Amino acid sequence: MEMEKTPAARAMEWSIEFEKGIRSRKPGQSFESIKKLGQRLVEWNKGPKHTVTMCNMFDMVPGEERLFADGILLRLATTFASGDKDTRICVVKAFYSTFRRCGKKGRGEYLILTMMSLDNKRELLRRIRAVFYDGDVESRALCLICFGCLSIIAKGVPEVQYIILSSLRSSHVLEMKASLFAAGCISELSNDFAAFFLETLINIITVPSTSLVLRLAAMRTFVKLGNFRSLARKAHKVGSELVLKYPEEELSIAMAISLTKIAINSMPLIFEQFGLLFSFLNQTTTLPLRATALRCIHYILKRKGYHILISGFSSENLFKLLYEADLPSSLRCEALKIILLVISYMSSDVLLMHVHELEKLLMLSENSTVSKFVSESLLEMHVIVKMSCKLNGRIETAGGEVFPDHLSRVASLFCDRLAELMKLVLSHNWRFDMVKQLKILLKLLLHLVNGQPQLASFMVEKLCSVILYNVTDRGMGVDSTISTSEVHVVVGEGDKNLERFMFLLYRFFTVCLESLHEAGAATTVVFCRLKNLVSFVCQCSLFSCSTHTLYTLLLYPVANWTYVLSEASTDNVQHTPINLVGNYPEIECFITECPRNILAGDKWFAYVAGKYAACNGSWSIANSIFENLYVSTPSGAYSRWLRALAQLGYSERCAHSLFMKVGSSGSLNHVLSGEFIKELVAICDGLSSTEKMLAVNGTPNQTFCFQRWFLVLRRKGLEALVDILKLLCSVQLGKDDQIASPDSLMPLEQMSQLQCFLDGISSKLERAAGECDLLASSFFDMDSKSLKVISTLALSCSLLAFSIGFAYFYPNSSALEESTSCASKGSGYCLHVALVQNLMGRLCHTDSDSCVTLMSLLRSDGLHKACFHSQPRFPMSRTGSQPVMIRRACRNAVEAVACLQESMEGQTQDGLLRATQNGTQVLMNVIKDWIHFTFQLPTYFFKVRSCIGAFLFVSGFNSKSGAEPVIPQGSHLSLNLCLRLENVPLDLISHLKKVHCILHCKTSTLIRPHREPSGQKLIDHRAWTTDTMLHMHEKLRSYVLSTGDSIDDRVSSGHEVVEACISFVTNGTRQAFSTCLLDVSAFRVGSYKIQWHSSCVDGRGLYSTVLPLNDGPAFTIAKP
């Protein structure tokens, strides 16, 4: 585990290797060496500038990299001058690949060339210039290309400019084209040279003797004249005139592209260019030129669309183009792509004026034949969906006219397309490209359904009818002689294409049902139709066991939804009751038998079925599937992974069965029984065993980090429940879960002691909720659904912590105050403020009433004096069965605690003793609700990959790289820091500009002088969940979000703790450097450990934690 050397740090190594390769007599070795050096120069040119910090980290002499850069470039020039034709071509390719894009604005810097001294720049050009004067036509052309690549240093050299301009009058085509390239490169950097070059270009194009090849090359070079606004307008005007003068197709296409790129930076030129491009769209123009005009319009709109549409861009010509009868499909697709861009920038009011075009396009799609090109059909449907979603219900009143049933017509159009695809599947005419077509259709349909609950209901019913009709119509219906419990016996492997088709439809049904429930539009009609579909699929031998299992999972959430909807009166929502529970015995019977033969089909689909079952909380299905897969899989990494999933499924199935006994018995006496607690402890042991399996499976880069961390959080919640129940066993409950008699009331001392124990449990749960926040922010690529699952787990921990902490907390009671020590009272107040803060931060987005009640708790004596600031957490779903249940439990708990606190004001000792009955009852009610929360796995749990994180490398200013910093007592600690990102996707790195880091050191972190080197030990989630790490996470998060990207290095010092925040500028690279100064002058002699934590704000503006993958550095304070 070492720092990754920067290109500048490897300059000496590269220089030596290049020299060896050039001198090698092995055939082709010199060419390979030049090619390899070109690739390295590209990497160097993209890298950061070398700083003093980098020199210190890599033990380099300042200026060393500049010396080797000059030597490498001069050696390349010498190789070019002394080599043969093939060698010179290799050198030109190396220069071209390194510097071809540097002259364009915003595309980087000439990092290597700018480091060269003035004398070396002149020498580099002199060696190339010598070849030009002594060489043939091909050698002169290669020299001109080199001058173009080195334009940053050649632009101000009169000799080079003279060579380029004189070559423009050459009689050789090859030399002329090379000089056009060189002149264009310098024109991007020099306004004066560009003005002269424009006149030269005009002469080259207008001279009658100029060949078509040279005229075409000259028109393509026009694009180089757009960097300077004063010259761009003149170049665009001249180019437009030349297009009319030379109407040949190739010349018009070349000039249209060049003028488009010239006009892109000037709004007046853009509209002039639009006039030219639209003139090419008439039917008399050739198809290649029309296609080029459409691509140029798309290019402009993609970069300047918003400003153009505000200025009055008209899209009528584009819509007219769609209705041409003989328009080729390729041109229609280009026009549709442009319309999609236009719609995305249009407001709904402006788009409303084009509603007639939407109606025409919809009619065109409805009347189109099946043989229409797939890409064209999909683009049409994309335009229809985007316009319909943008108008969002305003179509019915557009322009005073009525367009009835517009959305249902669009949905029916999609269903017709899906029905056509299903017919192809059933007739075995399925092609591989149809999978992509199906995915696009369903994605567009989901976009249409989103926010349209009535359309979701319509789509569920319509698709159910499509499946039932197509399967039955082909004589593939249900075998009436087979009972539901026997279906699995005759089900074979099934058709792979049909299985894939049904799997994609299943995913669509899942999202539709979630949309229905979140919008409160779940009705009996929809679910009855869905129940009929599931029953049909499960009894049809055409489908495999995996399909049977997946579609059965569609009905499992209905039980929870029915429970929520039956209680919906508290949320002031009216629903039609849903009665599907009566069919569950048949479903359970089928599910129990099906996994035994599910491996008769594709194992991958069986695994997917188990995954979806675990994510839905259907643990009996998940356990059965994963156990069967584990038994049939050979030993190895996959087998160990499946074994861990099977063990997890077994533990959660036992937990589900155990918790269901509480609901069936209707009494909480069972919860406080020794048998219940014993079984709960066994479940915790099973989760611990699963976590250990994954630990053995793990690799040095923490492959199973997320899975292990999530299981630990689940286990912590259950272990806290075990501790609570053990403490409450001393409180005897009678009938109806009430305290039997006053004789069973606890004395004050016992209640005070119980409160201390409960505060400890509450503190652990509050900390577990904080760990959930850290977990959710630590994985960049986590999907939104997984984030909501983790947020739900955090809220459940916060709810239980709040209820435990406030069950016996009476700050206004003088009786309890006398029996409570001052120390415990002060710590209790801080804890209870934190509990309120934690719960309020999670409910502030979804339940404002509960937040108001929580604020009222802070006004009581003792609590209002504490500092309070609510930090918003990761948002949880506003609707859905699980969130609604938890939020209702939170509301009940908050109201009950508030009533409990209010009833205790001014109470005496007798009143306080009797209040234990109410406090215990509140706590037991919360526990009863808590154990009925369905535990689900986030979908991210099944993404097994290396952990995203960072390594921190440290060296002192006066110490060598890798050596532990040693400073005299009373001094400040100066550090050179290197932060290297690990396993971060390239697309995410390109958007990162800064990474922030916090260093934390305590005077109490003295370590032994003899140990392994600091910063070399890999760490995992156990080190990330320490109190110090959570403190650093909260502090860095608050600091970064409050100061933004302009964060500066700041240091906070105290008698016990020294902390510093540092920013690393990454600029799209994996490694960044910075410095830090820590005030450790008050530290005693000895060795100390620095702990660290890091974070960033990605391109979407979301805060993310970058987990530390190695332990913190150490430093030593010696006697002066």
Side-chain angles (χ1 to χ4, degrees):
M1 183 180 58
E2 298 178 352
M3 284 184 295
E4 181 181 349
K5 284 189 175 182
T6 61
R10 288 179 286 177
M12 181 173 67
E13 175 189 346
W14 289 353
S15 178
I16 295 173
E17 288 185 9
F18 176 61
E19 189 67 30
K20 289 181 178 179
I22 288 296
R23 294 176 180 271
S24 175
R25 295 184 179 181
K26 184 178 179 181
Q29 183 64 35
S30 60
F31 299 151
E32 187 66 28
S33 179
I34 296 173
K35 180 181 178 181
K36 190 174 183 179
L37 180 65
Q39 297 171 351
R40 288 173 169 177
L41 290 178
V42 172
E43 182 183 352
W44 195 345
N45 218 37
K46 293 179 180 179
K49 292 183 178 179
H50 214 62
T51 63
V52 177
T53 302
M54 296 183 190
C55 289
N56 294 334
M57 293 296 291
F58 294 109
D59 295 331
M60 294 175 60
V61 178
E64 176 184 335
E65 77 287 349
R66 178 178 174 179
L67 178 64
F68 284 106
D70 289 4
I72 289 173
L73 292 174
L74 289 175
R75 187 67 178 91
L76 264 180
T78 302
T79 304
F80 179 81
S82 60
D84 55 10
K85 176 183 173 181
D86 293 334
T87 302
R88 288 174 178 174
I89 291 175
C90 286
V91 174
V92 169
K93 288 181 178 180
F95 277 130
Y96 183 77
S97 63
T98 306
F99 305 116
R100 60 178 174 174
R101 295 184 180 273
C102 295
K104 299 187 178 182
K105 292 183 177 180
R107 291 198 180 180
E109 302 177 355
Y110 294 89
L111 181 61
I112 305 177
L113 291 176
T114 54
M115 291 193 303
M116 295 186 73
S117 63
L118 181 60
D119 292 338
N120 286 332
K121 292 178 182 177
R122 291 174 179 173
E123 178 62 23
L124 177 63
L125 294 175
R126 187 195 66 77
R127 295 182 184 183
I128 298 175
R129 203 163 58 237
V131 177
F132 181 86
Y133 290 127
D134 299 336
D136 54 6
V137 174
E138 292 183 354
S139 297
R140 292 199 298 271
L142 292 175
C143 289
L144 289 169
I145 296 175
C146 284
F147 288 140
C149 296
L150 303 174
S151 56
I152 188 65
I153 61 176
K155 63 179 181 179
V157 181
E159 294 89 345
V160 175
Q161 292 185 1
Y162 173 77
I163 289 174
I164 294 173
L165 293 176
S166 61
S167 299
L168 290 173
R169 296 189 296 269
S170 174
S171 58
H172 300 283
V173 175
L174 183 61
E175 187 175 351
M176 275 281 289
K177 293 176 72 173
S179 61
L180 285 173
F181 168 78
C185 291
I186 295 181
S187 296
E188 290 181 317
L189 302 172
S190 174
N191 190 14
D192 295 335
F193 184 88
F196 186 82
F197 180 53
L198 174 60
E199 301 299 330
T200 307
L201 274 181
I202 296 173
N203 292 332
I204 293 174
I205 295 173
T206 55
V207 170
S209 60
T210 303
S211 64
L212 179 63
V213 176
L214 288 179
R215 189 170 285 136
L216 183 62
M219 287 188 171
R220 287 172 177 167
T221 312
F222 256 81
V223 71
K224 304 287 188 177
L225 303 174
N227 273 15
F228 302 97
R229 186 166 298 181
S230 59
L231 187 64
R233 185 166 188 83
K234 182 179 179 181
H236 189 275
K237 181 180 179 181
V238 172
S240 301
E241 294 173 355
L242 291 175
V243 169
L244 300 177
K245 187 175 181 180
Y246 300 96
E248 289 91 343
E249 180 183 286
E250 291 184 9
L251 298 179
S252 298
I253 290 175
M255 187 58 78
I257 296 174
S258 296
L259 295 181
T260 298
K261 294 182 179 180
I262 289 176
I264 195 66
N265 293 321
S266 174
M267 195 61 65
L269 292 183
I270 285 178
F271 283 100
E272 292 181 15
Q273 183 66 12
F274 272 141
L276 177 64
L277 294 175
F278 277 113
S279 67
F280 292 153
L281 295 181
N282 58 70
Q283 297 185 6
T284 59
T285 311
T286 61
L287 291 180
L289 184 55
R290 296 177 78 184
T292 301
L294 288 173
R295 284 193 290 270
C296 290
I297 294 173
H298 186 271
Y299 174 84
I300 296 174
L301 287 175
K302 193 171 183 179
R303 286 156 180 78
K304 302 288 183 179
Y306 177 75
H307 304 284
I308 293 171
L309 291 175
I310 287 180
S311 304
F313 174 81
S314 176
S315 57
E316 294 180 0
N317 292 332
L318 295 174
F319 280 107
K320 290 179 181 178
L321 191 65
L322 295 178
Y323 308 131
E324 291 186 13
D326 56 346
L327 186 70
S329 178
S330 59
L331 294 187
R332 194 183 300 274
C333 289
E334 291 291 341
L336 287 169
K337 290 177 183 177
I338 297 173
I339 292 175
L340 276 175
L341 272 178
V342 172
I343 293 172
S344 63
Y345 291 117
M346 279 185 178
S347 65
S348 57
D349 294 329
V350 176
L351 190 60
L352 201 60
M353 296 186 294
H354 298 279
V355 69
H356 290 281
E357 305 294 344
L358 172 61
E359 196 67 18
K360 290 180 183 178
L361 192 59
L362 181 57
M363 292 179 61
L364 185 67
S365 296
E366 289 175 335
N367 298 329
S368 63
T369 60
V370 181
S371 61
K372 179 183 286 190
F373 287 96
V374 173
S375 57
E376 179 184 344
S377 175
L378 292 177
L379 281 171
E380 283 181 2
M381 301 181 79
H382 197 173
V383 172
I384 293 172
V385 169
K386 200 153 194 174
M387 291 185 73
S388 301
C389 293
K390 197 97 175 191
L391 291 172
N392 195 19
R394 301 180 63 183
I395 299 176
E396 285 73 9
T397 59
E401 299 184 30
V402 177
F403 296 93
D405 302 327
H406 171 79
L407 290 179
S408 60
R409 288 174 59 197
V410 175
S412 298
L413 178 64
F414 275 92
C415 289
D416 293 340
R417 295 290 188 271
L418 292 173
E420 293 169 4
L421 290 176
M422 190 166 189
K423 290 178 182 178
L424 293 174
V425 175
L426 295 175
S427 60
H428 302 288
N429 292 323
W430 183 263
R431 301 190 309 272
F432 180 76
D433 61 322
M434 292 181 180
V435 177
K436 183 178 179 181
Q437 181 182 352
L438 177 61
K439 289 181 178 180
I440 295 175
L441 283 174
L442 292 177
K443 185 177 180 180
L444 291 175
L445 196 51
L446 285 176
H447 186 63
L448 183 67
V449 168
N450 188 25
Q452 302 284 347
Q454 73 282 3
L455 194 59
S457 175
F458 176 81
M459 283 306 307
V460 171
E461 296 185 39
K462 191 80 174 177
L463 285 177
C464 288
S465 301
V466 167
I467 296 173
L468 292 172
Y469 173 77
N470 280 279
V471 176
T472 307
D473 185 56
R474 293 183 174 270
M476 302 175 181
V478 178
D479 189 348
S480 59
T481 63
I482 304 174
S483 65
T484 304
S485 59
E486 296 175 342
V487 173
H488 64 278
V489 178
V490 298
V491 170
E493 182 177 352
D495 185 79
K496 300 289 185 183
N497 294 324
L498 180 60
E499 194 169 14
R500 187 178 295 110
F501 183 89
M502 295 298 291
F503 169 68
L504 293 174
L505 282 184
Y506 161 78
R507 295 175 62 181
F508 174 78
F509 277 125
T510 302
V511 177
C512 268
L513 292 175
E514 290 177 356
S515 176
L516 275 174
H517 187 63
E518 290 186 3
T523 62
T524 303
V525 176
V526 173
F527 287 115
C528 284
R529 182 61 63 89
L530 184 67
K531 182 187 68 173
N532 293 335
L533 172 66
V534 173
S535 177
F536 176 83
V537 169
C538 291
Q539 297 182 51
C540 181
S541 59
L542 182 66
F543 303 110
S544 67
C545 274
S546 300
T547 304
H548 292 176
T549 306
L550 282 174
Y551 274 76
T552 306
L553 290 175
L554 290 174
L555 294 182
Y556 261 71
V558 178
N560 290 330
W561 294 357
T562 307
Y563 169 75
V564 174
L565 296 179
S566 64
E567 301 287 340
S569 57
T570 58
D571 293 332
N572 297 323
V573 181
Q574 298 297 326
H575 295 275
T576 304
I578 300 173
N579 184 16
L580 293 176
V581 182
N583 299 90
Y584 274 7
E586 299 178 10
I587 298 172
E588 288 287 356
C589 179
F590 174 79
I591 288 299
T592 303
E593 299 294 335
C594 188
R596 298 179 185 175
N597 295 280
I598 198 172
L599 298 180
D602 192 337
K603 290 186 179 181
W604 170 249
F605 281 104
Y607 176 80
V608 171
K611 167 189 170 182
Y612 277 91
C615 293
N616 287 332
S618 305
W619 291 106
S620 59
I621 305 176
N623 180 40
S624 299
I625 292 176
F626 290 135
E627 279 187 353
N628 282 275
L629 287 174
Y630 165 63
V631 171
S632 61
T633 303
S635 60
Y638 296 117
S639 177
R640 291 193 295 270
W641 167 244
L642 291 172
R643 180 188 176 191
L645 291 177
Q647 174 65 36
L648 173 61
Y650 175 77
S651 299
E652 290 300 332
R653 187 186 70 177
C654 293
H656 179 74
S657 302
L658 180 64
F659 294 155
M660 287 299 102
K661 294 178 183 178
V662 179
S664 61
S665 64
S667 174
L668 289 173
N669 285 324
H670 178 68
V671 176
L672 297 178
S673 65
E675 186 65 25
F676 183 91
I677 297 176
K678 183 178 178 181
E679 293 184 30
L680 198 56
V681 170
I683 292 169
C684 293
D685 293 339
L687 292 174
S688 178
S689 175
T690 304
E691 193 267 336
K692 291 178 181 178
M693 290 180 191
L694 296 176
V696 174
N697 241 0
T699 58
N701 48 8
Q702 297 94 356
T703 302
F704 292 97
C705 162
F706 175 84
Q707 290 79 5
R708 293 171 58 196
W709 197 351
F710 185 78
L711 292 179
V712 167
L713 291 175
R714 167 62 171 171
R715 193 188 74 232
K716 286 182 178 180
L718 294 179
E719 287 176 346
L721 180 61
V722 171
D723 295 338
I724 299 166
L725 297 179
K726 287 180 178 179
L727 286 175
L728 292 181
C729 278
S730 59
V731 180
Q732 298 298 322
L733 296 181
K735 294 182 179 180
D736 300 326
D737 302 333
Q738 299 295 327
I739 292 181
S741 65
D743 297 336
S744 62
L745 297 179
M746 293 182 291
L748 284 177
E749 293 79 6
Q750 184 180 352
M751 191 173 72
S752 177
Q753 185 180 10
L754 177 62
Q755 176 62 38
C756 292
F757 283 120
L758 291 177
D759 282 349
I761 300 173
S762 181
S763 178
K764 291 179 181 179
L765 283 170
E766 192 265 342
R767 187 168 167 273
E771 289 184 38
C772 290
D773 295 332
L774 179 58
L775 175 67
S777 66
S778 298
F779 295 86
F780 292 56
D781 54 345
M782 189 181 299
D783 56 287
S784 58
K785 191 172 181 180
S786 296
L787 283 174
K788 292 177 181 178
V789 171
I790 297 175
S791 298
T792 302
L793 179 62
L795 179 57
S796 65
C797 291
S798 183
L799 165 64
L800 195 56
F802 171 81
S803 304
I804 295 170
F806 277 88
Y808 301 105
F809 180 68
Y810 310 117
N812 296 326
S813 172
S814 58
L816 187 60
E817 186 175 358
E818 295 174 358
S819 62
T820 305
S821 65
C822 296
S824 62
K825 176 182 176 182
S827 61
Y829 285 159
C830 295
L831 171 64
H832 292 84
V833 170
L835 294 176
V836 174
Q837 174 183 350
N838 198 306
L839 185 58
M840 184 176 175
R842 302 181 193 284
L843 294 175
C844 62
H845 297 290
T846 56
D847 194 348
S848 57
D849 294 337
S850 296
C851 291
V852 173
T853 308
L854 287 170
M855 286 295 295
S856 66
L857 293 177
L858 298 176
R859 301 190 185 99
S860 59
D861 291 343
L863 292 183
H864 73 284
K865 300 177 183 178
C867 176
F868 178 80
H869 177 67
S870 177
Q871 290 285 347
R873 309 292 175 174
F874 288 94
M876 195 179 71
S877 297
R878 291 180 175 271
T879 51
S881 58
Q882 186 79 343
V884 169
M885 292 173 63
I886 297 180
R887 198 162 55 251
R888 181 180 297 115
C890 290
R891 185 180 305 173
N892 294 337
V894 170
E895 291 176 354
V897 168
C899 293
L900 198 61
Q901 296 293 320
E902 183 180 355
S903 65
M904 287 309 302
E905 291 185 3
Q907 288 290 335
T908 61
Q909 178 174 348
D910 293 338
L912 180 62
L913 290 174
R914 295 185 180 276
T916 58
Q917 176 180 357
N918 296 329
T920 304
Q921 191 67 40
V922 168
L923 182 56
M924 294 303 295
N925 288 337
V926 171
I927 293 175
K928 183 177 180 181
D929 290 336
W930 196 87
I931 62 179
H932 282 97
F933 298 157
T934 303
F935 176 69
Q936 300 172 331
L937 285 184
T939 54
Y940 194 82
F941 191 92
F942 292 89
K943 292 185 178 180
V944 180
R945 60 193 63 193
S946 299
C947 177
I948 296 176
F951 290 100
L952 182 68
F953 304 96
V954 176
S955 70
F957 271 105
N958 298 323
S959 60
K960 293 184 178 181
S961 177
E964 181 181 292
V966 179
I967 59 172
Q969 187 179 13
S971 302
H972 288 61
L973 178 62
S974 299
L975 297 175
N976 297 305
L977 306 173
C978 172
L979 190 78
R980 192 185 81 197
L981 300 175
E982 195 75 14
N983 304 319
V984 182
L986 292 177
D987 56 341
L988 181 59
I989 289 181
S990 61
H991 292 92
L992 283 181
K993 301 301 180 184
K994 284 186 178 181
V995 177
H996 309 290
C997 178
I998 182 172
L999 302 182
H1000 176 97
C1001 186
K1002 294 181 180 180
T1003 57
S1004 59
T1005 54
L1006 277 168
I1007 55 178
R1008 296 180 180 179
H1010 300 289
R1011 63 194 180 284
E1012 63 182 41
S1014 62
Q1016 298 297 315
K1017 181 181 178 182
L1018 296 177
I1019 60 176
D1020 57 14
H1021 68 91
R1022 290 170 292 184
W1024 300 330
T1025 55
T1026 60
D1027 292 333
T1028 302
M1029 192 66 70
L1030 293 175
H1031 161 76
M1032 289 191 293
H1033 165 68
E1034 288 294 336
K1035 189 161 187 176
L1036 186 61
R1037 178 179 181 273
S1038 176
Y1039 186 67
V1040 172
L1041 296 182
S1042 62
T1043 58
D1045 290 336
S1046 59
I1047 181 174
D1048 298 324
D1049 298 350
R1050 298 185 183 180
V1051 178
S1052 60
S1053 301
H1055 297 290
E1056 298 292 336
V1057 178
V1058 175
E1059 291 179 337
C1061 293
I1062 310 101
S1063 292
F1064 295 85
V1065 180
T1066 58
N1067 287 332
T1069 59
R1070 291 184 180 273
Q1071 196 165 257
F1073 299 85
S1074 187
T1075 59
C1076 177
L1077 185 65
L1078 287 177
D1079 183 8
V1080 293
S1081 57
F1083 282 36
R1084 296 173 298 169
V1085 174
S1087 296
Y1088 296 87
K1089 195 78 169 178
I1090 299 176
Q1091 294 178 287
W1092 67 283
H1093 193 65
S1094 56
S1095 66
C1096 67
V1097 179
D1098 61 17
R1100 299 169 296 174
L1102 299 179
Y1103 177 87
S1104 299
T1105 298
V1106 184
L1107 294 172
L1109 299 180
N1110 62 333
D1111 63 339
F1115 66 95
T1116 299
I1117 296 180
K1119 293 182 179 180

